[in-house]
């Protein structure tokens, strides 16, 4: 019996082994993949055996063949479609259809404190995927949005490590922080320079007041919602993304050479009545090309590696990033290190907890603050170095010490370093209960430190560039911000109804502390470290300052849908901010309402063949601005020994009121209306979205000039001074399709039209001047008045050039000479003076547009993006701000006035002083441009080859940014930002450069 049992056991074991071997054996699976909508074949679909690196791709007819275990699971992936998993179950033929992930009805977008289906959104929300952002290798993700979103204007500051300036539907506020609110995974920020673009899953921009109002106090300039990459189901995957590239200056301004410069200066001397020319000979050759001397082709490296995965109970994503970017100026460099970790844990069936944390560290060797102005003005007759090795000195050529310096000496003795450290993130818990309720609590923080160190050594380079005492200045700023948020959401669907109710509470604190120390006679140590304590004690100073702002908020929102046809959204937020403590307006309330009608879901639309989607929506809302200083209404006095009053024979030091303060500030509010139409044609191959908006900022906070005769120390008065409006139209059209030959493509175009206008100023006809950044006579080139756009250029209208001395004498312009600008006598009184100034241009772009395309054929992909602005002006302050013998542009030299009849457009070379450097229309130029923003060609190595190397994906690509720039502006770039009241003034702007990269995307 025992022997029989043993034989049965052995036989059973052999049977089980045979079954396992059979199951483990691979079988060949064939099939076809088609579009779930129009049933056409899908070429280029990736098929992987789940949990392995084994995979293949479909051919031009959608067919595939793969070897897989009989009990395996196949994963089908294709860009623009929802991933699909299919069990093999011993099947040798598996045909599948993939559903488009971009269907209008099911596309999910991120909104304030949640998500919604695109079809359910009643406000204006634009969404950009992380994969589209990463196709423009950039150190800042916002830069990659340029030209991709209608109504969003972005000005890039090319300085390494800097953040671009973003404006959403025109200027929202004037005073304080004029940038949008960034919300990263629920935490509020003023910028996202700490984020690696490869860590971003999507960016959603809230453009209208209805979608923004849930963020109340901080939403006046728009809201940018950033969702970072989370762990995905499946085994751990390792991703590497890296680029290496070169940056080179484009559209470089051509300056005169030494001979031309000498000719021009001699002409100016003659016109100004000098007895002798400055240069005895103008045959000086080419001289020094200062741009060629100082500018360089710079390297940039950008690398990121991440580990991503998830199980049934948890998910994780960890990444490390490194950026090393050289500036186009010698010795300018920026390095940044980032680390990000996120985890989500399904602790219980209804309880989920998680955290996100990002750390960043950066160091920048800064270029001299005025180096680009110095390069523009430097005289080409001055050598970089003399024969004895000393620096070329402008004073040796009797050029004086005005704007003429030796730029090489400026760079060589520049020692300015900025170091930043930042840790940000949040922890959260999410509890689902009673079937329809979700409670979420989150605590986030932003903790950082920035240190700026500037050291000027003891040196002698030129007559105007030397110091007899070394100076060290160190400034350190600490930020300690936190935010606590609690939300309760009720969500229910029954019959034809869908209802979501959100209630929430927020508490925030923003704290900063700054300490600045200076010391003289600080020696430079061998290790490069510098310490204030090594300087003279007598010359050492320390100053500190800080701020503490707090806010508490309550908010709620209702979303209702009936039959997926009729949509309603309403929200209300109340904010109390410490900036307004002590006033009568501590609390601000920000309501909104939106409605939508999905016309294509109506019964009467079922048989029509024109629209695959048709939706009408409208919204109204209010948002606020708390970006103002705390306690600006405190009255201060000045005590002085010169003010003595005697009481009962006792001398008392008097005091004088030296400032005028406004009454208590109250909330600046912006009310906006939006009407939108969304259309889809041909099964949504063609989609069109159009919006009209009207946004009015009420009781905007401005600085208004006050009369100096009042004897106060402040020249401006801060207060709720004006109302202004932004009104415009946006259009987005996208065509997506694929051909029978296997080409998949999408072409998208967008345009935004915005008109800015000041409606009311409480000071009546008093203008709001910008202050600073004018010509050398300190005249400000902008003015903000009722009926005009904010920061409009203002000055004299040039109507020609005075050709003769007689014409100059009868021009009505005191001190005018032949060769000077001829200004229009607009009031006809025979005298040209300040009463004849007029508005010359608008720095606020009217049109912004972009064209974005994607093509994929077999293993190749191509991305091409074009971006531009139109109907905008730039003030060329570089050309007009002169103190004497600065250099001239080649354009000016070739077209200058040289005598009667030579030109009626360009003045003589005598630009410093007199009438020629007055703010006038000659210096106002068109800022319109169109550029090839990005072009990228990629190639995915065949899956069969990649699998042999134990990889899932290997893609190589070449990329070019800003390679082609078309504009008529006579400076480096018309892309000139600035605060709203003095935007578009080109003075020491960082030159535009093109970047050429090669890169790799690798997945294990």
């Amino acid at each position: 019996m025992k022997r029989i049992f043993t034989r049965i056991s052995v036989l059973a074991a052999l049977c089980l082994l045979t079954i396992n071997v059979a199951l483990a054996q691979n079988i060949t699976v064939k099939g076809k993949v088609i579009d779930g909508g129009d049933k056409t074949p899908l070429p280029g679909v990736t098929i992987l055996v789940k949990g392995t690196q084994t995979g293949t791709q479909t051919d031009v007819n959608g067919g595939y063949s793969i070897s897989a275990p009989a009990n395996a699971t196949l994963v089908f992936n294709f860009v623009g479609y929802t991933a699909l998993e299919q069990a093999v179950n011993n099947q040798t033929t598996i045909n599948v259809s993939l559903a488009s992930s971009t269907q209008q009805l099911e596309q999910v977008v991120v909104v304030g404190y949640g998500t919604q289906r695109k079809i359910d959104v009643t406000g204006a929300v634009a969404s950009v995927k992380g994969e589209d952002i990463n196709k423009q290798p950039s150190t800042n993700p916002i830069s990659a949005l340029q030209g991709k979103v209608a109504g969003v204007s972005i000005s890039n500051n090319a300085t390494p490590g800097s953040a671009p300036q973003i404006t959403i539907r025109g200027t929202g506020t004037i005073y304080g922080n004029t940038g949008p609110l960034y919300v990263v995974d629920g935490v509020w920020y003023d910028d996202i320079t700490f984020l690696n673009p490869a860590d971003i899953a999507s960016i959603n921009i809230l453009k209208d007041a209805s979608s923004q109002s849930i963020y109340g106090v901080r939403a006046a300039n728009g809201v940018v919602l950033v969702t970072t990459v989370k762990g995905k189901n499946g085994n751990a995957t390792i991703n590497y993304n890296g680029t290496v590239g070169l940056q080179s200056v484009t559209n470089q301004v051509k300056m005169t050479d030494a001979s031309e410069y000498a000719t021009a200066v001699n002409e100016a001397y003659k016109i100004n009545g000098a007895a002798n020319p400055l240069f005895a000979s103008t045959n000086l050759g080419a001289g020094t090309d200062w741009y060629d001397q100082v500018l360089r082709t710079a390297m940039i490296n950008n690398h990121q590696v991440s580990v991503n995965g998830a199980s049934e109970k948890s998910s994780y994503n960890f990444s490390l990033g490194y950026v090393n970017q050289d500036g186009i100026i010698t010795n300018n460099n920026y390095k940044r290190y980032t680390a990000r970790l996120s985890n989500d844990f399904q602790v219980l069936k209804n309880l989920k907890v998680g955290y996100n944390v990002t750390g960043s560290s950066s160091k920048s060797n800064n270029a001299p603050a005025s180096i680009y102005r110095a390069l523009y003005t430097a005289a080409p007759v001055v050598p970089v170095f003399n024969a004895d090795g000393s620096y070329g000195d402008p004073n040796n050529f009797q050029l004086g010490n005005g704007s003429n310096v030796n730029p090489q000496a400026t760079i060589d003795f520049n020692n300015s370093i900025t170091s930043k450290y930042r840790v940000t993130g949040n922890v959260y818990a999410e509890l689902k209960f009673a079937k329809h309720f979700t409670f979420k609590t989150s605590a986030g923080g932003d903790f950082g430190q920035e240190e700026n160190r500037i050291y000027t050594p003891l040196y002698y380079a030129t007559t105007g560039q030397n110091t007899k005492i070394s100076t060290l200045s160190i400034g350190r700023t600490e930020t300690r911000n936190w935010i606590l948020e609690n939300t309760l959401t009720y969500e229910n669907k029954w019959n034809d109804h869908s209802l979501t109710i959100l209630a929430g509470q927020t508490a925030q604190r923003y704290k900063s502390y700054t300490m600045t120390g200076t010391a003289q006679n600080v020696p430079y140590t061998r290790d490069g470290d510098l310490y204030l304590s090594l300087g003279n004690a007598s010359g050492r100073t320390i100053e500190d300052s800080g701020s503490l702002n707090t806010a508490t908020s309550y908010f709620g929102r209702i979303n209702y849908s009936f039959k997926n046809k009729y949509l309603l959204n309403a929200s209300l937020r109340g904010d109390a901010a410490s900036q307004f403590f002590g006033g009568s307006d501590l609390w601000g309330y920000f309501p909104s309402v939106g409605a939508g009608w999905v016309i294509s879901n109506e019964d009467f639309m079922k048989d029509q063949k024109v629209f695959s989607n048709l939706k009408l929506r409208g919204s109204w809302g209010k948002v606020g601005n708390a970006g103002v200083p705390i306690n600006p209404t405190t009255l201060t006095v000045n005590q002085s020994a010169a003010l003595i009053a005697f009481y009962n024979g006792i001398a008392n030091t008097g005091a004088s009121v030296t400032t005028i303060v406004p009454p208590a500030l109250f909330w600046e509010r912006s009310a906006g209306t939006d009407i939108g139409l969304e259309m889809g044609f041909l099964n949504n191959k063609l989609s069109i979205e159009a919006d009209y908006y009207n946004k009015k900022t009420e009781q905007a906070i401005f600085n208004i000039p006050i009369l100096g005769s009042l004897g106060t120390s402040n020249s401006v008065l801060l207060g709720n001074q004006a109302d202004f409006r932004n009104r415009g139209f946006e259009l987005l059209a996208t065509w997506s399709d694929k051909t029978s030959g296997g080409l998949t493509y999408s072409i998208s175009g967008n345009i935004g039209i915005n008109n800015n206008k000041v409606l009311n100023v409480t000071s009546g006809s008093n203008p709001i001047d910008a202050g600073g950044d004018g010509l050398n006579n300190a005249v400000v080139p902008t003015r903000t008045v009722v009926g005009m756009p904010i920061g409009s250029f203002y000055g004299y209208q040039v109507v020609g050039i005075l050709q003769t001395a007689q014409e100059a004498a009868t021009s009505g312009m005191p001190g005018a000479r032949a060769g000077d600008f001829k200004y229009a006598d607009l009031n006809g009184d025979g005298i040209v003076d300040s009463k004849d100034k007029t508005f010359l241009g608008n720095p606020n772009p009217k049109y912004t547009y972009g064209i974005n395309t994607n093509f994929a054929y077999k293993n190749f992909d191509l991305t091409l993006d074009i971006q531009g602005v139109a109907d905008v002006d730039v003030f060329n302050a570089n050309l007009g701000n002169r103190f004497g013998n600065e250099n001239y542009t080649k354009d000016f030299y070739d077209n200058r006035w040289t005598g009667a009849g030579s030109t009626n457009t360009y003045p003589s070379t005598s630009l410093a002083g007199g009438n020629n450097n007055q703010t006038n229309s000659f210096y106002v130029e068109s800022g319109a441009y169109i550029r090839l923003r990005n072009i990228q060609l990629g190639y995915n190595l065949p899956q069969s080859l990649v699998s042999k190397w134990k990889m899932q994906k290997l893609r190589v690509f070449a990329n070019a940014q800003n390679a082609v720039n078309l504009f008529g502006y006579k400076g480096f770039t018309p892309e000139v930002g600035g605060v709203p009241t003095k935007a578009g003034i080109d003075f020491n702007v960082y030159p535009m450069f093109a970047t050429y990269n090669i890169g790799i995307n690798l997945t294990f």
Side-chain angles (χ1 to χ4, degrees), residues 53-74:
Q53 285 82 38
T54 302
T56 188
Q57 286 186 327
T58 56
D59 57 27
V60 294
N61 298 314
Y64 74 92
S65 176
I66 190 172
S67 177
N71 61 346
T73 298
L74 300 182

Side-chain angles (χ1 to χ4, degrees), residues 270-384:
K270 181 179 179 181
I271 292 170
N272 291 324
N276 298 303
L278 180 61
F279 297 98
S281 171
T282 58
N283 187 21
L284 303 178
T288 303
D289 184 335
W290 286 105
Y291 282 127
D292 184 64
Q293 170 66 26
V294 173
L295 299 182
R296 63 176 175 175
T297 298
M299 289 285 296
I300 180 170
N301 288 270
N302 195 344
H303 306 276
Q304 192 247 21
V305 62
S306 65
V307 181
N308 185 290
S311 64
E312 185 179 350
K313 296 293 185 179
S314 66
S315 65
Y316 57 89
N317 185 78
F318 173 68
S319 70
L320 294 172
Y322 169 69
V323 171
N324 186 351
Q325 181 181 10
D326 289 333
I328 58 175
I329 289 287
T330 307
N331 300 330
N332 181 208
N333 173 264
Y334 172 75
K335 292 182 180 180
R336 184 187 68 193
Y337 303 86
T338 59
R340 182 168 182 83
L341 176 62
S342 67
N343 276 110
D344 298 292
F345 305 95
Q346 195 70 44
V347 180
L348 301 172
K349 181 180 179 180
N350 296 328
L351 177 61
K352 183 179 181 180
V353 299
Y355 67 88
N356 306 277
V357 60
T358 299
S360 67
S361 171
S362 67
K363 182 178 180 180
S364 175
N365 290 302
N366 305 314
S370 60
I371 187 61
Y372 298 107
R373 175 67 183 163
L375 290 173
Y376 190 92
T377 59
V381 296
V382 179
V384 181

Side-chain angles (χ1 to χ4, degrees), residues 293-490:
Q293 170 66 26
V294 173
L295 299 182
R296 63 176 175 175
T297 298
M299 289 285 296
I300 180 170
N301 288 270
N302 195 344
H303 306 276
Q304 192 247 21
V305 62
S306 65
V307 181
N308 185 290
S311 64
E312 185 179 350
K313 296 293 185 179
S314 66
S315 65
Y316 57 89
N317 185 78
F318 173 68
S319 70
L320 294 172
Y322 169 69
V323 171
N324 186 351
Q325 181 181 10
D326 289 333
I328 58 175
I329 289 287
T330 307
N331 300 330
N332 181 208
N333 173 264
Y334 172 75
K335 292 182 180 180
R336 184 187 68 193
Y337 303 86
T338 59
R340 182 168 182 83
L341 176 62
S342 67
N343 276 110
D344 298 292
F345 305 95
Q346 195 70 44
V347 180
L348 301 172
K349 181 180 179 180
N350 296 328
L351 177 61
K352 183 179 181 180
V353 299
Y355 67 88
N356 306 277
V357 60
T358 299
S360 67
S361 171
S362 67
K363 182 178 180 180
S364 175
N365 290 302
N366 305 314
S370 60
I371 187 61
Y372 298 107
R373 175 67 183 163
L375 290 173
Y376 190 92
T377 59
V381 296
V382 179
V384 181
F385 297 103
N386 297 315
D388 61 0
S390 61
Y391 288 95
D393 191 340
N395 197 61
N396 293 338
F397 297 83
Q398 304 178 43
L399 298 179
N401 298 320
S403 292
N404 255 310
V405 297
N406 185 318
Q408 187 63 54
T410 301
I411 290 176
D412 289 346
F413 292 99
N414 175 70
N415 190 330
S416 174
I417 295 175
T418 298
S419 300
K420 297 181 182 180
Y421 310 93
R422 196 168 182 181
V423 177
T424 70
N426 72 320
V427 294
Y428 76 91
E430 185 177 274
L431 177 66
K432 296 182 181 294
F433 63 97
K435 189 177 181 180
H436 301 295
F437 290 90
T438 301
F439 174 75
K440 184 176 181 178
T441 183
S442 173
D446 181 11
F447 309 104
Q449 176 176 303
E450 177 177 336
E451 180 176 296
N452 296 283
R453 190 199 74 184
I454 301 175
Y455 178 66
T456 304
L458 176 67
Y459 79 100
Y460 185 96
T462 70
T463 306
Q465 296 169 275
N466 60 84
T467 57
K468 297 180 180 179
I469 300 175
S470 64
T471 304
L472 174 64
S473 175
I474 297 178
R476 180 172 296 159
T477 299
E478 298 177 351
T479 57
R480 302 291 185 267
N481 306 330
W482 55 254
I483 179 172
L484 300 174
E485 290 191 315
N486 297 289
T487 60
L488 179 64
T489 304
Y490 170 82

Side-chain angles (χ1 to χ4, degrees), residues 20 78 169 182 214 288 375-376 382 419 554 582 640 667 760-761 777 804 867 897 901 926:
N20 286 335
F78 193 50
R169 288 187 169 179
Y182 296 95
I214 198 70
T288 303
L375 290 173
Y376 190 92
V382 179
S419 300
Y554 299 92
S640 172
W667 287 99
N760 174 60
V761 176
N777 54 13
T804 64
Q867 174 262 332
W897 182 89
S926 171

Side-chain angles (χ1 to χ4, degrees), residues 32-37 39-42 62 81 96-99:
K32 191 173 184 178
V33 183
I34 62 172
D35 184 301
K39 309 305 180 183
T40 58
L42 289 178
Y81 291 79
V96 300
S97 61
L98 297 183

Side-chain angles (χ1 to χ4, degrees), residues 472 519 522 531-537 540:
L472 174 64
V522 177
Y531 304 95
L532 296 171
S533 59
L534 298 179
N536 291 343
R540 197 179 304 150

